[in-house]
């Protein structure tokens, strides 16, 4: 025996002797599926590994190494922070002074006709919802948002309500309802009519708003609900396949709508696994769009993704420790090739972020971008035996989940049968048991505990609710009642038929219909989804 094999055999013998005298520290498997990392990775862990096939080069299928040839060497990722602080005007005030550096503020309470806050029993009620403490756990969408509020939020931003041709508009809507049934509960209608609304948006935008990103397929909320890295990849990809199939069934071209799809992943503390997760997800999507839908363009096969650091890892105990957690997670997102990133604030386990904590979260991204040097490399971990091995394992295990989902008839049927819900809740339960048993150590929470030092917590003025109710009532009182009634009846007729409902939604909004009223019209037609207990 010679070469590396001989060296590794000798190393194993030395390791065994050392550990016989000094046993390794007790630990649990922190990788997906409670697997433990190997003590050492080497070329013999990658049998049959062909870098040309398995990895390729950045900017080309299978996109393991990134979706652009130069990645962050050319253009840094978009730095995003949430905004949603009681009113649109307050959100605008928070967003604008954050930094002279490039920053995109994403409203924390943007709503779509397919989702709602689970506790909002009536969209027709006049009480606006309360903003959430962290997007990953429960993004709350107020039942209504009129165009005037939209203008308040954009005040001082270079945009206008009118005069911009639709074909030039750019942006992204989340528009992903399947993860709501699995993870978050902010749905209204049953899955199948919700899929119809999503495919209607695909068709409308393909024709009228071609530069718009029509969906952000979100593994973020699935991971926040407690799944592991493999499940996050598998269930997110499965959702994407379901949406792609719905679009194809509606007569859309995969290379057209596929180019406008984007993804939204979570990023956790296990830096090496998270980097491998993003690489595996890109490869799977590229391969599946080719094999299942015969996508011809590289643009359609390229998985572009936004990333958010993991809210469920943040602790209320010793909250300043969360700055370090977010930093590790931000590094993983950048090294994994994200296109945009939101970093959580250290106080989000306690409430909405203060201006100070939100600034620190942004500065974390800027330090990673301008001081760490990681943005100077395209796929810096590519070729690492550990990263390549984990990339392969995540891909292989995620395909096992996809095979089971296919057996159940696809993702919508799997959700209706409770399969992904059971998998997520079982993983989340196991995680919590490990924390409570102190098998999984959380610094400041179940180990290295110390007396608490209070931190400032942001408070929302309770009077804002009454002001918003009054504003809504005034808005409704000034609209043309006859035009409103006509538009809503036409919208209802379209929903009961097979026409694309988007043009009728636009017409209704133009005459003053609110999000809640439009949602109620669909509720009257489609009914409401009632979640069954999953055991």
């Amino acid at each position: 025996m010679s070469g590396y094999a001989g060296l590794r055999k000798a190393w194993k013998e030395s390791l065994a002797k050392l550990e016989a005298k000094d046993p390794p520290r007790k630990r649990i498997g922190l990788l997906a599926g409670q697997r433990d990392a190997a003590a050492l990775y080497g070329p013999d862990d990658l049998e049959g590994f062909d870098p040309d096939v398995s990895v390729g080069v950045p900017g080309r299928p299978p996109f393991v190494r990134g979706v652009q040839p130069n990645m962050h060497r050319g253009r840094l990722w978009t730095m995003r922070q949430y905004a949603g602080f009681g009113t649109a005007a307050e959100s605008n005030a928070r967003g604008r002074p954050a930094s002279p550096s490039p920053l995109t503020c994403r409203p924390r309470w943007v709503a779509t006709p397919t989702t709602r806050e689970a506790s909002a029993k009536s969209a027709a009620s006049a009480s606006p919802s309360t903003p959430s403490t962290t997007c990953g756990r429960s993004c709350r969408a107020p039942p209504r948002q009129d165009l005037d509020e939209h203008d308040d939020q954009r005040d001082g931003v270079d945009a206008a309500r009118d005069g911009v041709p639709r074909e030039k508009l750019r942006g992204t809507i989340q528009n992903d309802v399947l993860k709501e049934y699995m993870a978050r509960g902010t749905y209204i209608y049953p899955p199948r009519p919700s899929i119809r609304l999503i495919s209607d948006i695909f068709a409308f935008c393909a024709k009228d708003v071609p530069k718009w990103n029509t969906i952000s397929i979100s593994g973020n909320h699935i991971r926040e609900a407690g799944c592991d890295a493999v499940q996050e990849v598998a269930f997110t990809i499965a959702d994407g396949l379901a949406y792609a199939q719905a679009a194809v069934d509606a007569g859309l071209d995969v290379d057209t709508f596929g180019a406008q799809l984007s993804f939204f992943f979570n990023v956790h503390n296990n830096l090496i696994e998270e980097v491998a997760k993003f690489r595996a997800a890109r490869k799977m999507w590229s391969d599946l769009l080719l094999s299942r839908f015969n996508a011809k363009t590289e643009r359609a096969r390229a998985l572009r993704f936004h990333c958010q650091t993991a809210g469920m890892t943040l602790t209320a105990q010793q909250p300043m420790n969360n700055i370090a957690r977010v930093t590790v997670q931000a590094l993983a997102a950048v090294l994994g090739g994200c296109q945009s990133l939101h970093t959580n604030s250290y106080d989000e386990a306690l409430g909405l972020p203060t201006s100070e904590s939100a600034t620190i979260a942004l500065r974390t991204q800027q330090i990673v971008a301008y001081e760490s040097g990681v943005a100077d490399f395209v796929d810096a971990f590519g070729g690492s035996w550990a990263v390549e091995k984990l990339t392969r394992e995540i891909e292989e295990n995620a395909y096992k989940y996809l095979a089971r989902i296919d057996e159940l008839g696809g993702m919508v049927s799997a959700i209706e049968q409770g399969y992904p819900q059971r998998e997520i809740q079982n993983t989340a339960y196991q995680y919590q048991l490990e924390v409570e048993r102190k098998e999984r150590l959380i610094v400041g929470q179940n180990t290295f505990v110390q007396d608490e030092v209070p931190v400032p917590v942001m408070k929302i003025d309770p009077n804002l609710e009454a002001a918003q109710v009054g504003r809504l009532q005034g808005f409704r009182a000034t609209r043309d009642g006859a035009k409103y009634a006509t538009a809503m009846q036409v919208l209802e007729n379209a929903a009961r038929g097979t026409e694309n409902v988007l043009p009728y939604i636009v017409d209704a909004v133009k005459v003053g219909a609110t999000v809640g009223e439009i949602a109620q019209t669909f509720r009257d037609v489609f009914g409401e989804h009632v979640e069954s207990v999953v055991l």
Side-chain angles (χ1 to χ4, degrees), residues 95-162:
R96 276 196 292 166
S99 171
S101 302
L103 172 68
T104 299
C105 286
R106 306 178 70 214
R108 188 181 286 271
W109 38 262
V110 165
T112 69
T114 58
T115 63
R116 65 158 185 182
E117 163 59 24
S119 64
K121 296 300 182 183
S122 172
S125 71
S127 177
S129 296
T130 306
S132 67
T133 56
T134 173
C135 177
R137 287 186 286 276
S138 177
C139 272
R140 301 192 179 195
R144 294 151 296 278
Q145 178 187 9
D146 62 52
L147 289 175
D148 292 339
E149 287 182 312
H150 186 52
D151 286 346
D152 282 350
Q153 185 155 326
R154 297 182 309 172
D155 182 42
V157 180
D158 186 15
R161 183 192 296 183
D162 299 315

Side-chain angles (χ1 to χ4, degrees), residues 267-389:
V267 55
H268 270 234
N269 287 331
N270 194 318
L271 188 146
I272 304 300
E273 183 180 49
E274 292 299 295
V275 171
K277 177 186 77 177
F278 299 131
R279 300 170 89 251
R282 280 194 295 266
K283 184 175 187 300
M284 289 180 68
W285 186 250
S286 176
D287 292 346
L288 287 163
L289 262 285
L290 178 63
S291 63
R292 296 199 182 192
F293 298 99
N294 194 31
K296 298 178 178 61
T297 65
E298 293 184 357
R299 169 77 177 182
R301 293 174 58 189
L303 185 152
R304 300 166 295 123
F305 71 97
H306 170 65
C307 213
Q308 180 172 347
T309 56
M312 62 88 66
T313 69
L314 305 184
T315 62
Q317 302 89 345
Q318 300 180 34
M320 300 302 288
N321 292 342
N322 295 327
I323 297 174
R325 293 187 176 99
V326 169
T327 302
V328 171
Q329 294 163 10
L331 278 168
V334 174
L335 288 164
C338 69
Q339 278 61 68
S340 62
L341 173 62
H342 162 70
T343 39
N344 289 331
S345 301
Y346 67 80
D347 55 357
E348 290 197 46
L350 301 170
L352 287 171
T354 63
S355 179
E356 177 192 31
S357 67
T359 299
I360 291 173
L362 174 60
R363 296 292 179 256
T364 300
Q365 292 203 50
Q366 292 164 336
I367 290 169
V368 170
Y370 298 106
E371 298 185 29
S372 74
V374 298
D376 295 338
F377 298 87
V378 180
D379 188 30
F381 282 177
S384 158
W385 291 311
V387 168
E388 298 298 354
K389 177 64 173 178

Side-chain angles (χ1 to χ4, degrees), residues 82-105:
Y82 278 95
F85 301 95
T87 67
E90 284 188 315
S91 299
N92 173 269
R94 168 66 69 87
R96 276 196 292 166
S99 171
S101 302
L103 172 68
T104 299
C105 286

